[in-house]
Amino acid sequence: MIERYSRPQMKKIWSDESKFDKWLKVEIAVCEAWAELGEIPEEAIAKIRKASYNLDRVAEFLKVTHHDMTAFLNSVSESLGEESRFIHLGLTSSDVMDTALSLQLVEAVAILAQDIAKLISVLENKALEHKYTIMMGRTHGVHAEPTTFGLKMALWTEEMRRNDQRLDEARKAISVGKISGTVGTYATVPPEVEERACARLGLSPAPISSQIIQRDRHAQFITTLAIVASSLEKFATEIRSLQRTEILELEEPFQTGQTGSSAMPHKRNPELCERICGLARLVRGYALTSMENVALWHERDISHSSTERIILPDSCLVVDYILSLFTSIMKGLKVYPENMRRNIDLTQGLVFSQRVLLALIEKSISREKAYKMVQDNAMKAWQERKSFLNLLEKDTEISRYLSKSELESIFDYNYYLKHVDRIFARLGLSGKVYPTLGEEIQSELESLAPQAL
């Protein structure tokens, strides 16, 4: 597993202790359901509720059985007397394993949902703080028209809200239990036992199952995590691009004492964002494996089992980590509005080309003719590094339609801000901006530093 990037809460969910605790919880819930149906005596249930296992003994049994469920059951039996005959009554291994796995996934989702909520809060705060911080909008990496950094943050906010909804849908998909026996016919364990046991566990019974809970559910969960990771990679890639020396509109936090290069003392690299991009690729790879796990032979095989022991814990650990890391990056993100404005002015007014085009069209000029008139001047301004406005004012053909004052009124950056309030209102973004403390960010980033293997 990705121990290097694991955080304590998420790591605990995927520990052997947590897994076996949940296996035992499922076994006891099934016994209680049997007891309610009169199949297990009450005095036996009182003892079964106190059943336990020993990790060392499980490991010893496993060397002999080569089967983790029978090894576990042998250890549980040692904690009981004759009541042990009721443990695992009518069940197959997957009844316990898959239902317990659902419990682990539900716990993991709760942590991930908290992570997303924290990031959304930070993004909302950043959007409000920079609502009117004008910057260059780019398409194909080339200057397009001005936007605001607040709008960029609002865009990210809405994307993370969608990720939150996706995660909730994935939670519903994996919040099911399966206690239907071998190949799912309920021949040895009636549906009533499943219903009662799942109710105790806080799960819904899978409406139908084979010997396993169907793996499209788990694929939905991991592909959701892959989408979350892809969103984070998208955001991190944007920061990386805008941190380039030639642009330097944004910069990820750089801690006291940090070094960017062993050779070049001046380096301040976006290594945190690069780390997020790399780990996102890993999660997408796990998503592919999860989809390949959907197709199993007949009522089941165990080709999915070996991969799930890696892809499920690792996906949860990695996404938990990169969500937390990116939240800290955003809290401590350095924003340089003066560089944003400098970069807007690099092309000496070319960003207003569309406005000039539209103004000419309003003068009843055909779009094709107006486009050529504007483009001729735009290309000259681009190639000769001259003021676009000055070139337009000197163009006798354009001056026939647009006066100097009309042209000057077009070159107004406030034009691009006129609907910012409406966009924010659509997203329900309003309220006070809360500043983030530098020391807090430093502490968070230190706690998220990958541990040595």
Side-chain angles (χ1 to χ4, degrees):
M1 294 198 303
I2 309 296
E3 296 287 344
R4 188 178 183 185
Y5 297 103
S6 59
R7 300 207 305 150
Q9 281 185 295
M10 187 65 79
K11 183 177 180 179
K12 183 178 180 181
I13 291 172
W14 297 105
S15 66
D16 284 343
E17 292 88 342
S18 173
K19 179 180 73 174
F20 291 135
D21 283 349
K22 289 172 177 59
W23 284 12
L24 184 58
K25 188 175 182 179
V26 173
E27 293 282 6
I28 292 172
V30 170
C31 287
E32 289 174 333
W34 276 120
E36 288 179 358
L37 296 175
E39 298 295 327
I40 297 179
E42 275 301 319
E43 56 271 22
I45 281 295
K47 294 181 179 179
I48 288 171
R49 288 192 180 108
K50 297 178 182 178
S52 62
Y53 65 88
N54 181 282
L55 274 177
D56 292 334
R57 289 294 287 156
V58 172
E60 290 174 14
F61 284 124
L62 188 58
K63 291 177 183 178
V64 177
T65 65
H66 298 284
H67 192 291
D68 46 5
M69 180 55 67
T70 54
F72 167 75
L73 291 172
N74 287 346
S75 179
V76 172
S77 293
E78 289 184 335
S79 73
L80 298 168
E82 62 179 21
E83 302 83 11
S84 64
R85 66 192 178 94
F86 297 118
I87 296 290
H88 210 65
L89 185 64
L91 305 186
T92 187
S93 297
S94 294
D95 289 322
V96 179
M97 290 177 171
D98 276 10
T99 303
L101 177 59
S102 293
L103 295 176
Q104 287 178 289
L105 291 172
V106 168
E107 285 187 10
V109 167
I111 292 176
L112 294 171
Q114 290 176 359
D115 292 340
I116 289 176
K118 289 176 183 176
L119 176 54
I120 289 173
S121 177
V122 172
L123 291 174
E124 288 176 346
N125 194 59
K126 198 68 73 174
L128 289 167
E129 182 182 356
H130 293 283
K131 187 176 182 180
Y132 303 112
T133 301
I134 194 166
M135 68 178 298
M136 197 65 245
R138 297 170 174 90
T139 58
H140 307 275
V142 177
H143 284 203
E145 290 187 349
T147 182
T148 76
F149 184 56
L151 285 175
K152 192 183 291 287
M153 294 298 94
L155 188 78
W156 294 4
T157 297
E158 181 64 9
E159 184 162 341
M160 287 310 302
R161 288 175 180 175
R162 292 195 299 275
N163 283 327
D164 186 49
Q165 293 170 355
R166 292 184 185 104
L167 186 63
D168 189 55
E169 289 301 314
R171 178 191 59 78
K172 294 173 185 175
I174 49 85
S175 296
V176 296
K178 177 265 177 193
I179 311 291
S180 57
T182 304
V183 305
T185 62
Y186 297 99
T188 56
V189 54
E192 290 80 8
V193 170
E194 180 182 65
E195 291 164 4
R196 291 167 185 262
C198 284
R200 279 180 160 77
L201 298 168
L203 301 173
S204 300
I208 184 171
S209 56
S210 60
Q211 192 159 322
I212 59 168
I213 292 174
Q214 299 305 286
R215 260 41 197 180
D216 63 286
R217 295 177 180 274
H218 304 77
Q220 181 180 349
F221 173 72
I222 296 189
T223 52
T224 296
L225 297 194
I227 293 172
V228 173
S230 295
S231 291
L232 296 179
E233 181 180 10
K234 166 186 168 180
F235 306 157
T237 298
E238 182 72 1
I239 293 172
R240 288 170 59 193
S241 176
L242 295 177
Q243 186 170 328
R244 284 179 293 164
T245 307
E246 297 83 358
I247 298 175
L248 198 57
E249 295 178 358
L250 301 176
E251 188 178 27
E252 71 175 35
F254 194 83
Q255 300 176 66
T256 303
Q258 183 176 343
T259 57
S261 166
S262 62
M264 297 169 283
H266 72 276
K267 294 282 280 180
R268 292 165 67 101
N269 303 325
E271 64 93 4
L272 300 176
C273 288
E274 289 170 342
R275 192 185 307 168
I276 288 170
C277 293
L279 291 173
R281 297 167 193 166
L282 187 67
V283 180
R284 285 197 295 275
Y286 290 155
L288 176 59
T289 302
S290 76
M291 289 185 281
E292 291 179 340
N293 285 344
V294 173
L296 303 175
W297 285 19
H298 308 301
E299 276 56 60
R300 81 140 196 181
D301 58 51
I302 59 168
S303 60
H304 65 290
S305 176
S306 56
T307 66
E308 286 180 353
R309 293 167 191 255
I310 298 170
I311 66 175
L312 287 169
D314 279 11
S315 293
C316 292
L317 288 164
V318 168
V319 174
D320 174 43
Y321 173 76
I322 60 177
L323 276 167
S324 301
L325 179 58
F326 190 69
T327 299
S328 294
I329 290 171
M330 291 308 302
K331 284 182 179 179
L333 187 70
K334 292 179 173 62
V335 182
Y336 301 114
E338 66 281 4
N339 290 348
M340 292 177 174
R341 183 56 185 262
R342 179 202 67 198
N343 290 335
I344 289 177
D345 294 334
L346 280 176
T347 56
Q348 301 191 68
L350 284 181
V351 297
F352 295 102
S353 68
Q354 182 179 197
R355 290 206 66 200
V356 179
L357 171 66
L358 295 175
L360 289 171
I361 291 173
E362 288 175 5
K363 300 291 186 177
S364 300
I365 302 175
S366 71
R367 180 179 182 83
E368 292 73 20
K369 181 179 179 181
Y371 193 99
K372 186 176 187 309
M373 291 164 64
V374 176
Q375 189 182 47
D376 286 346
N377 284 282
M379 293 304 100
K380 188 173 183 180
W382 186 279
Q383 293 161 4
E384 298 180 12
R385 294 290 185 262
K386 291 183 177 179
S387 165
F388 183 46
L389 176 58
N390 289 343
L391 289 173
L392 293 172
E393 290 173 341
K394 293 175 182 177
D395 188 312
T396 55
E397 190 174 11
I398 285 179
S399 62
R400 288 173 52 199
Y401 301 98
L402 295 173
S403 67
K404 183 176 180 180
S405 61
E406 285 177 311
L407 282 170
E408 289 176 348
S409 68
I410 289 171
F411 283 64
D412 180 5
Y413 289 118
N414 289 320
Y415 174 84
Y416 300 100
L417 308 182
K418 61 184 179 181
H419 296 303
V420 170
D421 287 342
R422 289 184 64 183
I423 297 171
F424 271 63
R426 279 182 176 180
L427 302 179
L429 281 172
S430 62
K432 184 179 178 181
V433 177
Y434 297 94
T436 312
L437 299 177
E439 290 182 4
E440 175 190 349
I441 299 160
Q442 173 106 354
S443 176
E444 284 184 13
L445 289 173
E446 287 173 354
S447 71
L448 289 166
Q451 303 301 308
L453 289 171

